[in-house]
Structure formats: C-alpha cells, structure tokens
Amino acid sequence: MSDVLAVADHRRGDLRDVSYELITAGRQLADDTGGDLHLAVISGSVDNFAEKLNRDGVDAIHTVSHGEEFNHDVYTQTITQLYDELAPQYVLTPNSVNGLDYAPAVANELDLPVVTDTVDLSVNGETLTATREMYGGKVETTNELEGDAVVTIREAEWPTAEGTGDASIAAFDAEIDEDAIGSTVNGFEEVGGGDVDISEADVLVSVGRGIEEEENLDIIRDLADALDATVSSSRPIVDNGWLPKNRQVGQSGKVVTPDVYIAIGISGAVQHVAGMKGSDTIVAINTDPNAPIMDIADYAIHDDLFDVVPALTEQFQ
Ligand SMILES: Cc1cc2nc3c(=O)[nH]c(=O)nc-3n(C[C@H](O)[C@H](O)[C@H](O)COP(=O)(O)OP(=O)(O)OC[C@H]3O[C@@H](n4cnc5c(N)ncnc54)[C@H](O)[C@@H]3O)c2cc1C
C-alpha cells in the first residue's frame, strides 16, 4: 500500500486545469497501489486553491503559503520535505512550464528516476508502467520503473476530477531556506496580440501551413467573421510571424476547449493536438485523407481549403 503525492499548478492567481487532471491521474495510481492521494498546494492563495481542489478522490491536501507565484527553489524544497514526511511512492506533477522546471530537480534531490510527458500510467505490484509518445506521436514507448519515481503528466490526457471531496486540509510546515532561493518571478509580460484569449473562445477557426502565404489569411479571417469566431493557428504560422504567439494552439501554445474547432490546413501533429483535443466538435479541412487530424475530427472535409473555406464563408454569411 503506497501513497501518491500530486502537486497542483497555478499561475497569476488561477489554478490551471491540469491540477484537476492530476487528481484523476493520481487517484488512478493510488487505486492501483491501494494508497492515499495527497495533493500539495504551494504558494499563491493556498486556502482558496485547496477548497477548489477538494474534489472526489483526494484524501489529503497540504498547503504551503510562500509567495504568490511559482518559485523553483520553494517548490523543490517543499516537495522534497513532503516526500520525506509522507513517503509516497510516486510524485506526480504536470508536464507544464512549472512542472518541467522543478520535477527533474526534485528527482535529483531525492535520487529518484523521473519520467516526463506521460500519457498513460498504471501500476502492477512494484512496477509503474508509463506510456510516452515519441517522434511527433508516431511511436509510443512503454517505460517500466521499479520503486519510487517522479512522473510528469501531459495536459489534457486525463479527464478533470469532478464532485466535492472530503479531503483533510492542513498547512504543511515546510522549512524554506531563503538563502538557497536563487530566482524569483518579478512579473509577467504579455506576448503580442492584444487581449485576445483563444482559450476563452467558443468557436475557433484555426489555420495551418496549408494556407501557404500570409496574404491568404484573409479567407480565414472572413470565415471567422462570418461565424463570429476567433482565429487561432498551428505553430508554423506563428513562427513565420503571420499571427502573434497568443494565437498558437498546442503544447508550446495554448490549450483550448471550444465548442467548435475548425482545423484548416493543419496536419494534426501531436504537439498541436495536445492543445485542442478537448474541443467538443472538431472539423478538419485537409487535402490529405491520411493526415492525423482526420482521425480525431468529428467532421472531416477531404478537399482543398481554397475551395472549401470561401464556400463555407458564403454559406454562413
Ligand atoms: C517541442 C515542440 C513543440 C511544438 N509545439 C507546437 C504547438 O504548440 N503547436 C503546434 O501547432 N505545433 C507545435 N509543434 C510543431 C509540430 O510538430 C508541427 O510541426 C506543426 O503542428 C505542424 O503545423 P501544421 O499542421 O500547420 O503544418 P503541416 O504539418 O505542414 O501540415 C499542413 C497540412 O496542410 C494540408 N494542406 C496543404 N495544402 C492544403 C490545401 N490546399 N487544402 C487543405 N489542406 C492542405 C496538408 O495536407 C497538411 O496536412 C511543436 C514541435 C515541437 C518539436
């Protein structure tokens, strides 16, 4: 019987959705090991966060109030001390910017193996089986680890935990060595693109490399206008400087969950899909019937976007 310790993720005063996904993943692991699921909430408005995170499946929540934002050293020290106190078998963190910052450091401090960016986990006896994708999702690898481990989970792979729980909530008395804190977050700077938040949009018209030229983006904007939708894109469009960074969907962009996601000339690389697969209805327009996006689309239009998009715009107008 072994416990699991998951670490909640927050930024700029808000819990990130992956925190609720961690509860689902952590509960599954704890069920496999027959142990409890502990949740650490470090920095920020911890009491408020703890209340929100008290969902079905969580046994205990440990809060550590120290500063507002994520801090590498505070997280590393706190999680190391929680591990010493609780002796969990697995430390579970998001594969987020923050998680990837401290998870390897925690593993190093505790002399444990770390497996990152997992998409599936199960435990059999003392063996943890962690599935990861490689080569842009073309290959799936199965990693077997014996004993304790630090594991990061990919966002949007597990459903969010629901339901009100009855976890114990208590402040954990972490001893933070202030002299060992080498960096602090002094503020956030918005990348260009004004105040558009694609993660809030109900309908996204998303464009990829199939659009070929920057000036062709006009047909995408026309469709978005006709639908009262927001324009987003795959990474190459942002890399080309055709749209600002805050329009990028995916692993290194934003995670979006609109009612409708229209993927136009987007192949559906795993890094893109990671950001949009939670969309309710996915429409793909692509000349390649074998493009991966066609596999996850609810409606797949196998045709040339330069014919389909203007026709759709006309219909919606
Ligand atoms: C660490 C890392 C992080 C990454 N993060 C992200 C990320 O956050 N978001 C992201 O999107 N990518 C990300 N990528 C890049 C990702 O691997 C892909 O390269 C990228 O998503 C491909 O973009 P695309 O689908 O627009 O282009 P392509 O893969 O080139 O696909 C273009 C598609 O358009 C179709 N097409 C071409 N012409 C037409 C036409 N006339 N009509 C209809 N269809 C047409 C083609 O059949 C093709 O399927 C990341 C990569 C790495 C290594």
Side-chain angles (χ1 to χ4, degrees):
M1 210 173 84
S2 305
D3 293 347
V4 176
L5 170 65
V7 185
D9 212 39
H10 60 87
R11 194 185 300 153
R12 304 178 76 175
D14 287 323
L15 277 172
R16 302 193 59 245
D17 282 349
V18 70
S19 302
Y20 302 107
E21 296 158 20
L22 274 167
I23 295 176
T24 306
R27 184 67 257 163
Q28 281 168 5
L29 275 189
D31 285 344
D32 285 352
T33 59
D36 287 340
L37 172 61
H38 297 261
L39 200 59
V41 185
I42 309 166
S43 308
S45 51
V46 291
D47 294 333
N48 170 34
F49 291 158
E51 221 167 280
K52 290 184 175 163
L53 289 164
N54 192 355
R55 296 206 172 170
D56 259 352
V58 186
D59 295 298
I61 299 177
H62 309 272
T63 62
V64 175
S65 185
H66 193 289
E68 283 308 307
E69 293 296 339
F70 165 76
N71 179 282
H72 170 90
D73 298 294
V74 171
Y75 269 61
T76 306
Q77 291 184 36
T78 301
I79 298 164
T80 309
Q81 291 171 34
L82 274 167
Y83 178 86
D84 289 342
E85 174 84 12
L86 303 169
Q89 184 158 5
Y90 304 117
V91 176
L92 209 56
T93 82
N95 200 65
S96 60
V97 172
N98 293 354
L100 283 176
D101 183 301
Y102 64 81
V106 168
N108 182 52
E109 283 290 321
L110 298 173
D111 201 17
L112 295 179
V114 58
V115 55
T116 57
D117 199 23
T118 59
V119 296
D120 192 31
L121 295 168
S122 64
V123 182
N124 196 350
E126 280 296 296
T127 308
L128 170 73
T129 303
T131 307
R132 306 176 73 233
E133 289 175 344
M134 295 177 70
Y135 305 117
K138 292 189 173 66
V139 175
E140 208 168 70
T141 63
T142 305
N143 306 261
E144 294 192 341
L145 293 91
E146 302 293 327
D148 296 3
V150 178
V151 179
T152 76
I153 67 162
R154 184 181 289 180
E155 298 184 38
E157 285 296 331
W158 279 265
T160 54
E162 307 288 345
T164 313
D166 58 357
S168 61
I169 301 177
F172 176 70
D173 194 12
E175 282 176 28
I176 305 296
D177 177 0
E178 301 286 342
D179 293 338
I181 296 179
S183 61
T184 50
V185 174
N186 291 325
F188 290 88
E189 212 169 293
E190 291 294 341
V191 285
D195 55 3
V196 174
D197 184 356
I198 57 170
S199 64
E200 298 290 323
D202 293 331
V203 182
L204 281 174
V205 173
S206 208
V207 58
R209 190 146 44 194
I211 197 70
E212 292 175 8
E213 305 278 345
E214 184 175 10
E215 64 242 32
N216 295 338
L217 284 176
D218 284 346
I219 63 168
I220 304 297
R221 293 193 180 99
D222 289 345
L223 176 59
D225 284 348
L227 284 166
D228 201 13
T230 304
V231 174
S232 58
S233 77
S234 64
R235 180 163 149 175
I237 303 300
V238 171
D239 286 349
N240 286 346
W242 298 350
L243 284 175
K245 174 77 179 165
N246 68 350
R247 302 289 180 133
Q248 182 183 322
V249 173
Q251 186 184 312
S252 50
K254 289 202 172 176
V255 175
V256 297
T257 51
D259 296 334
V260 180
Y261 187 87
I262 308 179
I264 304 171
I266 292 177
S267 61
V270 64
Q271 295 89 353
H272 185 81
V273 170
M276 49 65 75
K277 67 179 166 204
S279 308
D280 272 355
T281 301
I282 298 170
V283 181
I285 303 169
N286 203 302
T287 42
D288 178 3
N290 298 317
I293 194 80
M294 301 303 240
D295 291 339
I296 61 160
D298 299 288
Y299 299 94
I301 304 175
H302 169 210
D303 209 339
D304 192 321
L305 72 88
F306 294 104
D307 296 329
V308 177
V309 172
L312 283 177
T313 304
E314 203 181 309
Q315 286 295 318
F316 286 122
Q317 277 168 345

